[in-house]
């Protein structure tokens, strides 16, 4: 196999959570046509044309749901500076409500939607499709081409907006603009351990396993891979296809100019992949406890007790702060194994905001989303706090965080037009990070959303089969030959063929409507 070039992203152990800045916009401004009539009666009065006046806007109240824990500093700023700015810009009273991550995509979020509460939160494309089918999300299309969304249209990629459209209507507003291609297709290596055992890089499965063996001999207390799913990271080893997974069951070949949906578990590639994972489990590269305690893997990675993880453009700095607390000398590098195929991108968004169907003023929510990605000053405020109190900037715009409390989560806000890096980050890292997507291609499935309503019962059943029977096989916890036939029997009995046919039907219809099929 041809050795691939690696995107080595070496960070100092003192790296704080990111933040780098770029003044270049990736898109030209959208047209400034007037909005349709809105609940606030202010189609063009949203003060998002460079000014900060909320003149003409009636008072409104916005409830923004975030997931995770609310920091003390977040509470302080919500009651003070955040409130003042939102009042000044869009004449709205702002309330943040925090829910546990277990309530995302269901749970209390679903309850709030079904009972008609007025709020906004973030979503993914699958949750969006299910919620729109139930009439739970507001249609935000009327507010996309006017002043309400004008600023974020300049700083958020157009493909990201398309990813959250159904039947041409915008049901969620993307947030973030960051390198997203090849998510989990690279291996994120503890470079300090690699160098300690006399190696400089890894570019193949054989070298990755050699890295494990050498480090295991020196540090038997460390685990190898801090995960149980390596199908993307190892793809270049077991197939010539450029596979991109639509979900746990289905994939497409990005190197093929067709609309064929691939049943992942019925491929020769899956058998080859499962064989590698079985070897990893037997060798201890994937620890034995992973079969019953997967959360421990993430904990071990964050505490510096693992050798490698599946990587992304951002993971070297997203996880560096936690690891360096435990291991100050830790350094992280992203590598791709073997084949140099084009990196696939789903879009540059972090997530997307929806507005509940019963919201009194959906347009005002869109105005708030716009504030988050409007300009450097507002981005800094919501992401980092108040300059001089929460952070300082040097002459080059590099940041030193003086407060550690999280505000609106960094991962959610990341926009390469405004993000800032810590003062310790080398210039070459910033250049590499910004260039990560330069040779990427957008997935041919980008923008497609599956409507599961015709096969909802089947989907529920096959998800159960996946958890109980297929995950142990794919993760290498059990022998393939002994367990695979039964797992596939269960999958078929759950209605997988019907599910597959419906997915193919919808995707083919959507694919035929896209310009690339002409």
């Amino acid at each position: 196999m041809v050795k691939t070039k690696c995107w080595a992203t070496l960070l100092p152990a003192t790296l704080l959570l990111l933040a780098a800045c770029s003044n270049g916009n990736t898109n030209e401004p959208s047209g400034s046509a007037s909005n349709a009539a809105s609940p606030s009666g202010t189609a063009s009065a949203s003060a998002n044309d460079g000014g900060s006046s909320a003149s003409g806007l009636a008072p409104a109240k916005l409830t923004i749901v975030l997931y995770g824990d609310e920091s003390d500093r977040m509470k302080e700023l919500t009651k003070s500076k955040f409130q003042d700015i939102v009042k000044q810009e869009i004449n709205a009273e702002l309330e943040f409500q925090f829910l546990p991550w277990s309530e995302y995509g269901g749970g209390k979020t679903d309850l709030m939607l079904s009972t008609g509460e007025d709020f906004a939160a973030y979503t993914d494309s699958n949750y969006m499709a299910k919620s729109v089918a139930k009439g739970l999300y507001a249609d935000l299309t009327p507010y996309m081409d006017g002043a309400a969304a004008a600023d974020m249209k300049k700083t958020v990629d157009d493909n990201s907006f398309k990813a959250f459209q159904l039947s041409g209507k915008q049901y969620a507003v993307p947030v973030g603009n960051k390198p997203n291609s090849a998510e989990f297709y690279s291996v994120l290596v503890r470079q300090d351990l690699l160098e300690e055992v006399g190696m400089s890089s890894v570019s193949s499965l054989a070298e990755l396993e050699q890295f494990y063996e050498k480090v295991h001999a020196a540090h038997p207390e460390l685990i190898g891979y801090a995960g149980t799913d390596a199908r993307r990271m190892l793809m270049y080893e077991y197939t010539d296809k450029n596979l991109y997974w639509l979900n746990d069951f289905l994939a497409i070949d990005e190197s093929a100019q067709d609309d064929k949906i691939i049943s992942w578990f019925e491929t020769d590639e899956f058998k080859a992949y499962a064989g590698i994972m079985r070897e990893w489990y037997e060798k201890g590269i994937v620890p034995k406890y992973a079969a019953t305690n997967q959360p421990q893997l993430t904990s071990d990675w964050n505490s510096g007790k693992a050798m490698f993880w599946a990587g992304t453009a951002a993971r070297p700095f997203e996880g560096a702060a936690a690891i360096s607390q435990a291991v100050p000398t830790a350094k992280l590098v992203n590598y791709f194994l073997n084949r140099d195929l084009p990196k696939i991108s789903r879009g540059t968004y972090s997530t997307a905001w929806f507005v509940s169907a019963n919201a009194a003023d959906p347009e005002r929510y869109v105005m708030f989303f716009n504030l988050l990605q409007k300009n450097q000053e507002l981005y800094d405020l919501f992401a980092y706090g108040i300059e001089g109190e929460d952070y300082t900037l040097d002459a080059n715009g590099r940041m030193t965080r003086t407060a550690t409390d999280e505000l609106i989560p960094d991962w959610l806000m990341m926009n390469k037009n405004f993000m800032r890096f810590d003062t310790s980050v080398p210039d070459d890292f910033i250049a590499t990070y910004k260039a990560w997507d330069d040779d990427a291609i957008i997935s041919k499935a980008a923008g497609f959303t599956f409507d599961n309503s015709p096969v909802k019962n089947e989907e529920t059943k096959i998800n159960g089969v996946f958890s109980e029977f297929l995950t142990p096989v794919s993760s290498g916890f059990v022998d393939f030959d002994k367990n695979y036939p039964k797992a596939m029997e269960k999958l078929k009995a759950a209605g997988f063929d019907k599910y597959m046919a419906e997915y193919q039907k919808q995707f083919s219809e959507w694919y035929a409507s896209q310009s690339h099929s002409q």
Side-chain angles (χ1 to χ4, degrees), residues 376-387:
Q376 190 70 60
E377 180 182 1
L378 290 173
Y379 184 94
D380 285 349
L381 173 65
F382 288 113
Y384 311 126
I386 299 174
E387 185 177 2

Side-chain angles (χ1 to χ4, degrees), residues 27-296:
N27 295 301
E28 293 299 318
S30 297
S32 57
S34 298
N35 281 336
S38 66
S40 60
T42 55
S44 59
S46 65
N48 287 320
D49 55 358
S52 59
S53 170
S55 175
L57 290 171
K61 181 176 181 179
L62 307 179
T63 299
I64 306 296
V65 171
L66 300 175
Y67 298 91
D69 297 322
E70 184 178 19
S71 69
D72 290 339
R73 184 57 171 159
M74 180 69 176
K75 293 177 183 178
E76 292 176 8
L77 288 175
T78 298
K79 295 177 181 178
S80 56
K81 189 64 174 179
F82 287 179
Q83 199 69 253
D84 294 343
I85 286 292
V86 174
K87 180 73 172 179
Q88 174 185 325
E89 291 277 341
I90 61 172
N91 197 22
E93 178 184 344
L94 183 64
E95 176 188 352
F96 286 102
Q97 185 176 144
F98 281 76
L99 296 179
W101 269 107
S102 59
E103 306 305 313
Y104 171 79
K108 189 171 182 179
T109 305
D110 269 358
L111 179 62
M112 293 171 66
L113 285 167
S114 62
T115 56
E117 292 195 35
D118 186 329
F119 73 104
Y122 31 91
T123 186
D124 54 62
S125 58
N126 289 329
Y127 185 45
M128 177 185 73
K130 296 174 184 178
S131 299
V132 170
K134 299 175 185 177
L136 299 177
Y137 284 7
D139 177 9
L140 304 178
T141 312
Y143 322 117
M144 289 297 100
D145 290 331
D151 298 294
M152 62 182 166
K153 281 293 192 75
K154 301 173 187 176
T155 63
V156 177
D157 183 77
D158 186 55
N159 284 313
S160 297
F161 284 88
K162 293 178 181 177
F164 293 94
Q165 294 174 359
L166 289 172
S167 300
K169 295 183 177 181
Q170 195 79 47
Y171 286 102
V173 176
V175 58
N177 187 349
K178 64 181 183 179
N180 270 338
S181 64
E183 288 180 306
F184 315 126
Y185 285 74
S186 63
V187 53
L188 182 63
V189 172
R190 281 280 303 277
Q191 183 75 12
D192 55 306
L193 294 174
L194 190 71
E195 295 173 357
E196 179 185 332
V197 297
M199 299 177 68
S200 60
S201 64
V202 291
S203 59
S204 68
L205 174 61
E207 289 181 356
L208 185 61
E209 292 181 349
Q210 182 184 25
F211 163 60
Y212 167 77
E213 291 166 0
K214 288 187 174 185
V215 175
H216 180 67
H219 299 284
E221 73 279 6
L222 300 182
I223 67 170
Y225 180 46
T228 59
D229 182 356
R231 60 192 146 132
R232 296 170 178 84
M233 188 175 76
L234 297 177
M235 183 194 74
Y236 307 97
E237 294 284 345
Y238 60 75
T239 182
D240 291 330
K241 299 183 177 73
N242 201 0
L243 295 177
Y244 185 83
W245 279 265
L246 303 173
N247 57 32
D248 288 320
F249 304 92
L250 306 177
I252 52 177
D253 180 5
E254 297 286 1
S255 60
Q257 300 299 314
D258 60 35
D259 62 353
K260 182 182 179 181
I261 300 293
I262 297 170
S263 176
W264 165 235
F265 292 110
E266 297 182 271
T267 63
D268 291 338
E269 284 87 354
F270 171 69
K271 183 176 181 180
Y273 162 69
I276 297 173
M277 294 304 291
R278 181 62 175 168
E279 290 181 3
W280 277 18
Y281 187 66
E282 291 175 335
K283 290 177 180 179
I285 296 176
V286 174
K288 294 297 187 289
Y289 68 73
T292 55
N293 188 12
Q294 293 187 23
Q296 183 62 38

Side-chain angles (χ1 to χ4, degrees), residues 428-451:
D428 58 354
F429 166 73
I430 298 175
T432 298
Y433 176 74
K434 290 183 179 181
W436 179 272
D437 277 355
D438 283 358
D439 64 345
I441 61 175
I442 295 292
S443 171
K444 61 185 178 183
F448 171 73
T449 303
F450 179 61
D451 176 8

Side-chain angles (χ1 to χ4, degrees), residues 14-34:
T14 56
L15 177 62
L16 295 176
L17 276 178
L18 155 212
C21 59
S22 167
N23 294 324
N25 292 331
T26 57
N27 295 301
E28 293 299 318
S30 297
S32 57
S34 298

